[in-house]
Amino acid sequence: MTQESAAHPPGPSDPLPDLTAEQLDTLHRIGRRWSRVTRPPQEWRDALPVDPNVGDYPARHQIRLPRYERFVTVSELGGKARADQVSKVTALTSTSTGRVGSRVRRVLLGPALKSTALVRERMRKLVALPVLSSDALSSVAYGPEALLTILVLAGAAGLALSLPIALTIMVMMLAVGLSYRQTIRAYPNGGGSYIVTSDNLGRVPGLVAAGGLMVDYVLTVAVSIAAGVAAVTSAIPSLGGATVPLGLGAIALLLAGNLRGVRQAGILFAAPTYLFVLSVAGVIIAGLVEAARQGFPPPSQPQVDATTGVTLFLIMRAFTSGATAMTGIEAISNAVPAFKPVEWRNARTSLTWMVATLLALFGGIMALVLLTGTLPRPNETVLSQLARNSFGSGLMYVVVQASTAAILLLAANTAYNDFPRVLSLLARDHHAPRPFMRMGDRLAYSNGILLLTIAAALIFVAFDGRTTTLIPLYAVGVFLAFTLSQSGMVVHWWRSRGRHWRKSLAFNALGACMCAVVFVTAAIAKFTAGAWVALVAVALFVLLTLRIRAHYDEVGRALRLRPQSATLPGNTVPTPLCPPKEPPPEPRPAAGTEDTWEEEEAEETPEEIHHLSVVAVETLDLANIRALAYAASLRQPVLAVHLSPTDEEAERMTRYWRHWGNHLPLEVVVCPYRTIIAPLVDYVEALHEQRPDLTITVILPELATSRRWHRLLHDRMAFRLRHSLRERPKIVVTTVPFHV
Amino acid sequence: MTQESAAHPPGPSDPLPDLTAEQLDTLHRIGRRWSRVTRPPQEWRDALPVDPNVGDYPARHQIRLPRYERFVTVSELGGKARADQVSKVTALTSTSTGRVGSRVRRVLLGPALKSTALVRERMRKLVALPVLSSDALSSVAYGPEALLTILVLAGAAGLALSLPIALTIMVMMLAVGLSYRQTIRAYPNGGGSYIVTSDNLGRVPGLVAAGGLMVDYVLTVAVSIAAGVAAVTSAIPSLGGATVPLGLGAIALLLAGNLRGVRQAGILFAAPTYLFVLSVAGVIIAGLVEAARQGFPPPSQPQVDATTGVTLFLIMRAFTSGATAMTGIEAISNAVPAFKPVEWRNARTSLTWMVATLLALFGGIMALVLLTGTLPRPNETVLSQLARNSFGSGLMYVVVQASTAAILLLAANTAYNDFPRVLSLLARDHHAPRPFMRMGDRLAYSNGILLLTIAAALIFVAFDGRTTTLIPLYAVGVFLAFTLSQSGMVVHWWRSRGRHWRKSLAFNALGACMCAVVFVTAAIAKFTAGAWVALVAVALFVLLTLRIRAHYDEVGRALRLRPQSATLPGNTVPTPLCPPKEPPPEPRPAAGTEDTWEEEEAEETPEEIHHLSVVAVETLDLANIRALAYAASLRQPVLAVHLSPTDEEAERMTRYWRHWGNHLPLEVVVCPYRTIIAPLVDYVEALHEQRPDLTITVILPELATSRRWHRLLHDRMAFRLRHSLRERPKIVVTTVPFHV
């Protein structure tokens, strides 16, 4: 995997991988065998009853487009010269099945976008910084509070520890920030944890890192929304009971916005971050000035009862809870290509600014907490208390709370960008179901967005939308990913030994150690409180992705053009493509076991396929006669089968058949068990055993009803039969629809 | 509809209706057109690569049969001479899809039964009486109590009315019993309300009667189970909290028993009824003797506070609640053919006995209630109080309670026999979905049984399994059906004017009036208490059944062999069945609207079908090459279509195609919207518009994965495409499976 290809998530137009030389050779040899039996290409084409080139077709069922459509119009394509065999779709149509759904979709999400509409935006530093740092900066809204919530359990003695713990966290922020500066330089195309880890440490560590990231993206959404709702309910306490509905509303908003394909675009996303930074800075400065004016009085001793002593375990818990303020610090290194050139240099500068801002805000808030003796309260956030303390409850306070809620929504939105992107990378590497690689008609990874929404909403509801209960799950995954990613960078520098490699290696090693400490501490200290959920989720994720990969590998092996497959049936005499007159080949011994399927099914040229059509006839009505006519018109051997509940009914059917003219061979199967599927499947299998070389096409009439509920009124014979026969080799099921 | 055919529910081997002379004629004419283009029958048959007669095939996937299998063995069939074109299924096999499910099923339900195993049992009067009267007799377990529950609301003044109301109900029982004696004579094959009403009053009244019956069968299950559970919890008060689980357990028992195909068979079902009658008679006699010994003292004035005055409305409610004791009185007239000959005479005698017993039990209980001053209590049934009063809490008391619970279970089982039977009659008349006509492999109407179970369980849970809340819904439907059925009998006698017609008409008219009075009273008095639910359900039932019938009629018209359809395309020149060399017919003008589909699809002979196969090729791998080979081997025009996201990918596909040898025409469609289904559907439609006379077969490769969850990992292209194309005329979808 080259770094170049590894970095970009799969684009909307990425083709399937090229055929290898060996495969091309095999293809050519298969083709040579076709040419012995088929007509010349031009003759085939002339025999077509239609002109296959339907040109640029503008979709009859096209939905009326909204006024501000954003994609290329039909006329623009008209002038372009096109290859001979190419028709072109000029606008996306709705399929009939989803006509109403499609209309609703267009109204909500806007018209379909062409792949060419995907322009990767380049951002100036002043725009990129706020856009990419919302996740990291917003975490000061809950990090300090999470730290205090644990320490307060040990009363005043516990709170006395908040200063050293906060300083430790700030040192770690600095170290991790420096570490990621190295990643930016090494991965100028974007170095997410999954990419860096699988590049340098191998597949399974990469998946572990990806699992940690995925779990944490889900938790980022849940925690950010929970903290954002807390900012709102702190300001408007009467909303306190509506936490869960408010949060679900916010998640729905994110879902709709992201399905519509909202990007992290410019001013709109930059404004709340700047506003948040400025207003929190205002809170800190106003608070410090006030404290200075009073000559830094010792804080009024907080009235708290210690429910536990100061233990190492408590310190570990407090430390890891506070370390959640570090989440999001990797965002810039993921998104290096989004910067204007020189990308990596701009990204590094931005990272430095971001870490500096983060340190300032975190340190300022902690200082203010200590100076004012603020304590966490169940109904009001610490930040809200500080803001009230600095500004009273006026306009400025409202601005602080509103910008806090806004930046937390943006932080959740960051997860909405990253989760589907990582999932698409996994899908590209065959570790996740292929649909996650597909961009929807709005050029968003719709399936990934949906999955994230469902997971985040479930978690949010299960934990009642309370930040304090979610925090223990959080950060475990992130620090696992950080640790692996930084360790990967150490390996990278050791291997590459480019310029400044020693310095970079040292920084990354320091970062890796720091992150490892936090991860281990968090896993131990918060294990019973919830971290085990995250760890189990990561483990399941790794197992699942490995099994998915194994399946795709198996399918790929089965489907790949192989040299031996082309030579395998080469000893059969080619037969020209005209009605079969030669005696059919001797039946091979019955196979039946699954091991021989692959060989049996190796039918790569028309000459290797010997047909038998079996028409299941229920009665002689128009639908069944059409199915018989369809079968007979294919000019292959046809056998009609009728399942009869009694001998009398069998006799009657035979009589009707003779009356009709006995035009096709009829076999009546008497089955006194009032069931159709099982005996028919067995009958077809019995035929297959007689002649395993035959391809048996089972032809069924099917009523196509116009309304959905009408389908309940008919046996879904075709559906059930197809389902029952799908495991059998060399059996093709065809339904001839009859419209009522 | 003759009475003969009307009476029997559809049997397991009932064939589809015979073809009419006109249809036979049409069939013959279609056949004549076939003979101009097809080979002689024997030649077709000789061309078959297999011997279609696989003989008696014993199912490879057969489940090992349990020891006590009840159906005909394979060897028994061996000696029988068989028609030429007949294979025979000798044992039911499982389809692979349900191998585990099938095994579970066999263990729970027993092996599959042949249709011939369905023997209609003939019962002696002494057996038939208890079997058929469990529903009617068991209702004395809740009828008197329901009456008292209402009257007690008006205190002592209300209770004073219990004697006249009880006497009125007994008079009505007598009248309705006499009325049904007439029905038995007129419908010796069984005269259920649906049959009698639709025979004499027409389709819609018949459906109303059926709706009333169906709703009440559901309520019979719910009420009987509720009352049975009450009998148990009266004896064992500690079970009082487990009403709902106990009831659901009983319903599950009924479900399993009936799916297994338990019939109302002999002694097992007769014993509880006799035991119940004897023990209740014992309670009554012991109570009366005790009262007589004390010189019939006036009952201790019950201490009740009147919460309402004695109003007409209250009397109406009490009367209709007590009238629930009459439910089940029609059972014998439904089941006349179950008696030994002379059936109708034996049935009449049994009906007389049953009504006499019912009167005695109902009257006795009411008398004892009045003599002892017993009042309904929330935690103990009236019958339980009476039994304790007569026998104390010893063995005899337990026998009374146990037999009460047993007979109520039997009563619920009666509904399990009748509900699916009426539903199968409705399905036979095209008023209900066809699957309800089908007997499962245990010869039970499994689908009807399942529907009843779901409905009854929902009602039972929704009403907390309390008899008092269910009673208001009950009886409305039954008396609606009774009224219509008796009115139908009046019409019957008026029309037929056979022997004693005047007397019979008078009895039936009296019965109809009585039932009408109860129905109207119940509908008014209990409307707000719950009767509206039953009435709305009946109305919805009638609407639904009429719409279902309309749909089946429409389908039937569309499928029926029609004279004009045979002559319609008669002017086309017949073409012999060999590779088409003649120029294709001129394209007709594009049709597109639904109105012309029927005509378009009138393809009754092979010559009228002109093929085009369209293979959707995603890439050139083994699965796709097999699909191409399959298409080419059908020796019809083939067009390969590839959907490409970009021009570059289109160009690459074309290159590979040429490398392969360009053996088939390829059309590349460039669709920049990252979706496959919609553009492919539109492309196929565009081809269809060019030549509406063509039948387009869309051929797709499909991966057949062995595990269910693997399917999630692949686009279900074939499924979705089939779904999207199903509304289009003349488009056939074929999937060529490729097994991994």
Side-chain angles (χ1 to χ4, degrees):
Chain A
M1 188 188 297
T2 65
Q3 286 181 20
E4 182 69 34
S5 77
H8 281 299
S13 311
D14 284 1
L16 290 166
D18 281 320
L19 293 182
T20 64
E22 185 192 87
Q23 287 173 319
L24 279 175
D25 182 52
T26 310
L27 184 63
H28 191 64
R29 285 166 65 187
I30 293 176
R32 277 217 308 278
R33 286 163 52 220
W34 274 65
S35 60
R36 289 180 299 185
V37 286
T38 54
R39 328 184 202 180
Q42 197 53 46
E43 193 178 312
W44 266 111
R45 203 168 177 88
D46 292 343
L48 277 184
V50 290
D51 175 13
N53 192 336
V54 300
D56 293 350
Y57 58 97
R60 297 191 301 163
H61 301 289
Q62 189 175 354
I63 303 299
R64 202 154 45 79
L65 293 170
R67 201 176 298 171
Y68 304 104
E69 66 169 273
R70 284 163 51 186
F71 64 99
V72 189
T73 52
V74 176
S75 59
E76 188 180 324
L77 286 163
K80 206 171 148 203
R82 269 185 292 97
D84 175 37
Q85 294 173 327
V86 176
S87 298
K88 200 145 196 164
V89 179
T90 52
L92 190 63
T93 72
S94 64
T95 60
S96 71
T97 53
R99 230 172 260 161
V100 173
S102 170
R103 204 174 286 254
V104 171
R105 220 182 142 103
R106 289 289 154 261
V107 169
L108 277 180
L109 305 183
L113 294 180
K114 291 201 172 185
S115 300
T116 46
L118 187 70
V119 180
R120 288 186 201 274
E121 205 173 343
R122 297 288 179 144
M123 291 185 284
R124 287 188 301 142
K125 271 178 289 185
L126 277 178
V127 175
L129 177 65
V131 165
L132 294 171
S133 57
S134 62
D135 188 6
L137 296 183
S138 69
S139 50
V140 301
Y142 47 81
E145 177 155 8
L147 171 65
L148 292 171
T149 306
I150 304 296
L151 287 180
V152 83
L153 295 176
L159 289 173
L161 288 168
S162 49
L163 187 61
I165 292 178
L167 287 176
T168 314
I169 290 173
M170 287 169 73
V171 169
M172 295 201 52
M173 282 178 183
L174 204 60
V176 173
L178 284 171
S179 183
Y180 268 107
R181 277 173 62 93
Q182 317 309 318
T183 307
I184 288 173
R185 183 154 71 91
Y187 282 84
N189 290 310
S193 298
Y194 171 62
I195 302 285
V196 172
T197 310
S198 44
D199 251 21
N200 296 297
L201 301 182
R203 183 194 292 181
V204 174
L207 289 176
V208 174
L213 280 180
M214 305 292 279
V215 169
D216 257 59
Y217 287 138
V218 174
L219 288 166
T220 298
V221 175
V223 170
S224 298
I225 296 286
V229 170
V232 172
T233 54
S234 295
I236 315 169
S238 62
L239 287 176
T243 309
V244 171
L246 280 176
L248 290 181
I251 292 176
L253 194 70
L254 288 171
L255 170 68
N258 280 283
L259 283 183
R260 215 185 143 91
V262 171
R263 317 244 155 245
Q264 295 173 317
I267 285 301
L268 186 70
F269 280 62
T273 307
Y274 280 122
L275 193 61
F276 175 76
V277 171
L278 289 178
S279 58
V280 173
V283 169
I284 294 167
I285 291 165
L288 290 180
V289 166
E290 175 66 21
R293 218 173 44 83
Q294 296 177 4
F296 295 105
S300 53
Q301 201 61 18
Q303 302 298 316
V304 283
D305 299 328
T307 55
T308 176
V310 176
T311 61
L312 178 62
F313 189 73
L314 184 88
I315 297 172
M316 284 164 69
R317 278 181 69 196
F319 168 67
T320 54
S321 295
T324 54
M326 287 166 67
T327 55
I329 211 165
E330 83 287 9
I332 288 180
S333 73
N334 289 347
V336 183
F339 284 84
K340 291 207 165 165
V342 178
E343 292 87 353
W344 71 269
R345 202 181 296 276
N346 284 332
R348 275 183 100 153
T349 315
S350 298
L351 178 62
T352 312
W353 291 356
M354 182 181 87
V355 173
T357 313
L358 182 59
L359 285 172
L361 294 185
F362 185 82
I365 287 176
M366 285 308 298
L368 210 55
V369 164
L370 293 175
L371 283 174
T372 57
T374 306
L375 288 180
R377 285 190 214 154
N379 298 323
E380 185 169 10
T381 63
V382 167
L383 192 57
S384 167
Q385 293 179 52
L386 294 179
R388 270 192 225 273
N389 191 56
S390 296
F391 296 137
S393 296
L395 178 67
M396 279 303 291
Y397 167 77
V398 173
V399 170
V400 173
Q401 292 307 101
S403 67
T404 307
I407 198 176
L408 283 163
L409 201 64
L410 282 193
N413 194 59
T414 309
Y416 265 93
N417 278 291
D418 288 342
F419 180 95
R421 194 180 48 81
V422 174
L423 201 50
S424 75
L425 287 169
L426 287 165
R428 189 204 51 192
D429 296 346
H430 304 275
H431 283 302
R434 206 173 298 162
F436 289 118
M437 200 165 59
R438 197 183 307 126
M439 283 188 161
D441 48 21
R442 292 289 297 183
L443 289 168
Y445 294 111
S446 321
N447 294 317
I449 289 169
L450 285 172
L451 184 65
L452 174 61
T453 301
I454 292 167
L458 283 179
I459 288 278
F460 186 83
V461 171
F463 286 81
D464 273 341
R466 275 177 301 160
T467 320
T468 42
T469 55
L470 284 164
I471 287 285
L473 280 75
Y474 199 32
V476 183
V478 152
F479 283 100
L480 178 57
F482 281 6
T483 308
L484 288 168
S485 155
Q486 301 309 312
S487 310
M489 286 310 298
V490 172
V491 173
H492 173 85
W493 297 121
W494 182 256
R495 285 188 190 149
S496 69
R497 310 208 179 179
R499 202 155 59 94
H500 303 310
W501 71 272
R502 280 174 224 274
K503 195 185 73 185
S504 297
L505 192 150
F507 277 130
N508 280 132
L510 181 68
C513 290
M514 293 276 189
C515 291
V517 167
V518 181
F519 168 66
V520 173
T521 312
I524 295 171
K526 305 200 284 187
F527 189 82
T528 52
W532 68 270
V533 177
L535 292 173
V536 167
V538 171
L540 287 179
F541 175 89
V542 172
L543 284 180
L544 185 64
T545 48
L546 285 175
R547 290 197 62 181
I548 289 173
R549 170 72 182 243
H551 171 73
Y552 279 127
D553 284 351
E554 189 193 346
V555 171
R557 271 193 305 278
L559 289 178
R560 205 169 42 236
L561 297 167
R562 297 177 289 275
Q564 69 275 25
S565 71
T567 55
L568 193 134
N571 50 354
T572 59
V573 186
T575 50
L577 255 194
C578 52
K581 282 292 164 193
E582 76 285 0
E586 281 302 297
R588 296 189 224 167
T593 60
E594 298 188 14
D595 296 348
T596 59
W597 281 6
E598 194 188 311
E599 191 203 334
E600 270 190 50
E601 288 191 324
E603 295 155 331
E604 292 157 359
T605 64
E607 61 176 325
E608 289 163 43
I609 298 185
H610 305 283
H611 282 279
L612 172 65
S613 298
V614 174
V615 187
V617 181
E618 195 194 351
T619 178
L620 280 174
D621 59 17
L622 286 184
N624 281 281
I625 288 180
R626 270 196 70 214
L628 289 168
Y630 179 89
S633 69
L634 289 174
R635 297 164 176 86
Q636 301 286 348
V638 178
L639 173 64
V641 175
H642 173 71
L643 267 91
S644 197
T646 60
D647 288 326
E648 295 72 38
E649 213 278 334
E651 202 269 321
R652 189 180 64 150
M653 184 67 189
T654 315
R655 207 169 61 239
Y656 287 157
W657 196 262
R658 295 223 177 87
H659 189 79
W660 170 59
N662 199 13
H663 294 293
L664 292 170
L666 171 71
E667 180 72 15
V668 176
V669 177
V670 175
C671 175
Y673 296 100
R674 304 159 304 284
T675 174
I676 302 287
I677 304 293
L680 195 53
V681 168
D682 283 331
Y683 182 77
V684 171
E685 288 214 329
L687 295 180
H688 178 71
E689 281 184 15
Q690 274 190 42
R691 282 284 304 275
D693 62 308
L694 287 182
T695 293
I696 298 180
T697 302
V698 179
I699 297 179
L700 294 164
E702 187 178 36
L703 280 181
T705 50
S706 48
R707 301 212 190 152
R708 207 170 278 260
W709 73 273
H710 284 162
R711 286 178 218 163
L712 295 176
L713 303 181
H714 300 280
D715 312 328
R716 291 155 71 223
M717 261 280 283
F719 178 83
R720 288 157 64 207
L721 193 63
R722 188 175 291 115
H723 192 77
S724 299
L725 284 170
R726 63 176 289 139
E727 284 184 21
R728 271 72 177 181
K730 301 186 73 158
I731 292 173
V732 175
V733 178
T734 294
T735 47
V736 180
F738 187 91
H739 293 86
V740 178
Chain B
M1 189 187 296
T2 66
Q3 286 180 21
E4 183 68 32
S5 77
H8 281 298
S13 312
D14 284 359
L16 289 167
D18 281 320
L19 294 183
T20 63
E22 185 192 86
Q23 288 174 319
L24 280 173
D25 183 53
T26 311
L27 185 63
H28 190 64
R29 285 166 65 187
I30 293 175
R32 274 215 310 277
R33 285 163 52 219
W34 274 64
S35 60
R36 289 179 298 187
V37 286
T38 55
R39 327 185 203 181
Q42 197 52 46
E43 192 177 313
W44 266 110
R45 202 167 180 87
D46 292 342
L48 278 184
V50 291
D51 174 13
N53 192 336
V54 300
D56 293 350
Y57 59 98
R60 298 190 301 165
H61 301 289
Q62 190 174 353
I63 302 300
R64 202 155 45 80
L65 293 170
R67 200 175 301 172
Y68 303 106
E69 65 170 274
R70 285 163 52 188
F71 65 100
V72 189
T73 53
V74 177
S75 59
E76 187 180 324
L77 285 164
K80 204 171 149 204
R82 268 185 294 97
D84 174 39
Q85 295 173 327
V86 175
S87 299
K88 199 145 195 165
V89 180
T90 53
L92 190 64
T93 71
S94 65
T95 60
S96 70
T97 54
R99 229 171 260 161
V100 173
S102 172
R103 203 173 288 253
V104 171
R105 219 182 142 103
R106 289 289 155 261
V107 170
L108 277 181
L109 305 184
L113 293 181
K114 291 202 174 185
S115 299
T116 46
L118 187 70
V119 180
R120 289 184 201 276
E121 205 175 345
R122 297 287 179 145
M123 291 185 285
R124 287 189 302 143
K125 271 178 291 185
L126 276 177
V127 175
L129 177 63
V131 166
L132 294 172
S133 58
S134 62
D135 188 6
L137 296 182
S138 70
S139 50
V140 301
Y142 48 80
E145 177 155 7
L147 172 64
L148 292 171
T149 305
I150 303 297
L151 287 180
V152 84
L153 296 175
L159 289 173
L161 287 169
S162 50
L163 186 62
I165 292 178
L167 287 177
T168 313
I169 290 172
M170 290 171 69
V171 169
M172 295 199 54
M173 283 178 182
L174 203 60
V176 173
L178 284 172
S179 183
Y180 268 106
R181 276 173 63 95
Q182 316 310 319
T183 307
I184 288 173
R185 184 156 70 91
Y187 282 83
N189 289 310
S193 298
Y194 171 61
I195 303 284
V196 172
T197 310
S198 44
D199 251 21
N200 296 298
L201 301 181
R203 182 195 292 181
V204 174
L207 290 176
V208 174
L213 280 180
M214 305 293 279
V215 169
D216 257 58
Y217 286 138
V218 174
L219 287 166
T220 297
V221 175
V223 169
S224 298
I225 297 286
V229 171
V232 172
T233 55
S234 294
I236 315 169
S238 61
L239 288 176
T243 309
V244 171
L246 279 176
L248 290 180
I251 292 176
L253 194 70
L254 287 172
L255 170 68
N258 280 282
L259 283 183
R260 215 184 144 91
V262 171
R263 316 243 157 248
Q264 294 173 319
I267 285 301
L268 187 70
F269 280 62
T273 307
Y274 278 123
L275 194 61
F276 175 76
V277 171
L278 289 178
S279 58
V280 173
V283 169
I284 294 168
I285 291 165
L288 290 179
V289 166
E290 175 66 23
R293 217 175 43 82
Q294 295 177 3
F296 294 105
S300 55
Q301 201 61 18
Q303 300 299 315
V304 281
D305 298 329
T307 56
T308 175
V310 177
T311 60
L312 177 63
F313 190 72
L314 184 89
I315 298 173
M316 284 163 70
R317 279 181 68 195
F319 169 67
T320 53
S321 295
T324 54
M326 287 165 66
T327 56
I329 211 166
E330 83 288 9
I332 289 180
S333 71
N334 289 347
V336 182
F339 284 84
K340 293 205 167 168
V342 178
E343 292 88 353
W344 71 269
R345 203 180 296 274
N346 283 331
R348 275 182 100 153
T349 315
S350 299
L351 179 63
T352 310
W353 290 355
M354 182 182 87
V355 172
T357 313
L358 182 61
L359 285 171
L361 295 185
F362 185 82
I365 288 177
M366 284 308 299
L368 210 54
V369 164
L370 292 175
L371 284 174
T372 56
T374 307
L375 289 180
R377 284 189 216 156
N379 298 323
E380 185 171 8
T381 64
V382 167
L383 192 57
S384 167
Q385 293 178 50
L386 293 179
R388 269 193 225 275
N389 191 55
S390 296
F391 297 136
S393 296
L395 179 66
M396 279 303 291
Y397 168 76
V398 172
V399 169
V400 174
Q401 292 307 103
S403 66
T404 306
I407 198 176
L408 284 162
L409 201 64
L410 282 193
N413 195 58
T414 311
Y416 265 92
N417 278 292
D418 288 341
F419 180 95
R421 193 180 49 80
V422 174
L423 201 49
S424 75
L425 287 170
L426 287 166
R428 190 203 50 191
D429 296 346
H430 304 274
H431 283 302
R434 207 174 296 163
F436 290 118
M437 199 164 62
R438 199 185 306 127
M439 283 188 161
D441 48 21
R442 292 289 298 182
L443 287 169
Y445 294 111
S446 321
N447 294 317
I449 290 169
L450 285 173
L451 184 66
L452 174 61
T453 302
I454 292 166
L458 284 180
I459 287 278
F460 186 82
V461 172
F463 286 80
D464 273 340
R466 277 177 300 159
T467 321
T468 41
T469 55
L470 284 164
I471 287 284
L473 279 74
Y474 199 34
V476 182
V478 153
F479 282 101
L480 178 56
F482 282 6
T483 306
L484 287 168
S485 156
Q486 301 309 314
S487 311
M489 285 310 298
V490 172
V491 173
H492 172 84
W493 295 121
W494 182 257
R495 285 189 189 148
S496 70
R497 310 206 180 183
R499 204 156 58 92
H500 305 312
W501 71 272
R502 279 174 225 274
K503 195 185 74 186
S504 297
L505 190 149
F507 277 130
N508 280 133
L510 182 67
C513 290
M514 292 276 188
C515 292
V517 167
V518 180
F519 168 67
V520 172
T521 311
I524 294 170
K526 305 199 283 188
F527 188 82
T528 51
W532 68 270
V533 177
L535 291 174
V536 167
V538 171
L540 288 178
F541 175 89
V542 172
L543 283 180
L544 185 64
T545 49
L546 285 175
R547 289 196 62 181
I548 288 173
R549 170 73 182 242
H551 171 72
Y552 278 127
D553 285 351
E554 189 192 346
V555 170
R557 271 193 304 277
L559 290 177
R560 206 168 41 236
L561 299 167
R562 296 179 288 274
Q564 70 275 25
S565 73
T567 55
L568 192 135
N571 50 351
T572 59
V573 186
T575 50
L577 257 195
C578 53
K581 281 294 166 195
E582 76 285 358
E586 282 301 299
R588 295 191 224 166
T593 60
E594 299 189 13
D595 296 348
T596 58
W597 281 5
E598 193 187 313
E599 190 203 335
E600 272 190 50
E601 288 192 323
E603 295 155 331
E604 291 156 0
T605 64
E607 61 174 327
E608 287 163 45
I609 299 184
H610 305 283
H611 283 279
L612 171 66
S613 298
V614 175
V615 188
V617 181
E618 194 193 353
T619 177
L620 278 174
D621 59 17
L622 286 184
N624 282 281
I625 287 179
R626 269 197 71 214
L628 289 170
Y630 179 89
S633 69
L634 289 174
R635 297 163 176 85
Q636 300 287 347
V638 177
L639 172 65
V641 175
H642 172 71
L643 266 91
S644 198
T646 58
D647 288 326
E648 295 72 39
E649 214 279 333
E651 201 269 321
R652 188 179 66 149
M653 183 68 190
T654 314
R655 206 169 62 239
Y656 286 158
W657 196 263
R658 295 222 176 87
H659 188 80
W660 170 59
N662 198 12
H663 295 294
L664 292 171
L666 171 71
E667 180 71 16
V668 176
V669 177
V670 175
C671 175
Y673 296 100
R674 303 159 303 285
T675 173
I676 302 287
I677 304 292
L680 194 54
V681 168
D682 283 331
Y683 182 77
V684 171
E685 287 215 331
L687 294 181
H688 177 72
E689 281 185 14
Q690 276 189 40
R691 282 282 305 272
D693 63 308
L694 287 182
T695 294
I696 298 179
T697 302
V698 180
I699 297 178
L700 293 163
E702 186 176 38
L703 280 180
T705 51
S706 46
R707 302 213 188 150
R708 208 170 277 260
W709 73 272
H710 284 163
R711 286 179 216 161
L712 295 175
L713 303 181
H714 301 280
D715 311 329
R716 293 155 70 223
M717 261 281 283
F719 178 83
R720 288 157 64 207
L721 193 63
R722 189 175 291 115
H723 192 78
S724 299
L725 283 170
R726 62 176 290 138
E727 285 185 20
R728 270 73 177 180
K730 300 186 74 159
I731 292 172
V732 175
V733 178
T734 293
T735 47
V736 181
F738 186 91
H739 293 86
V740 178

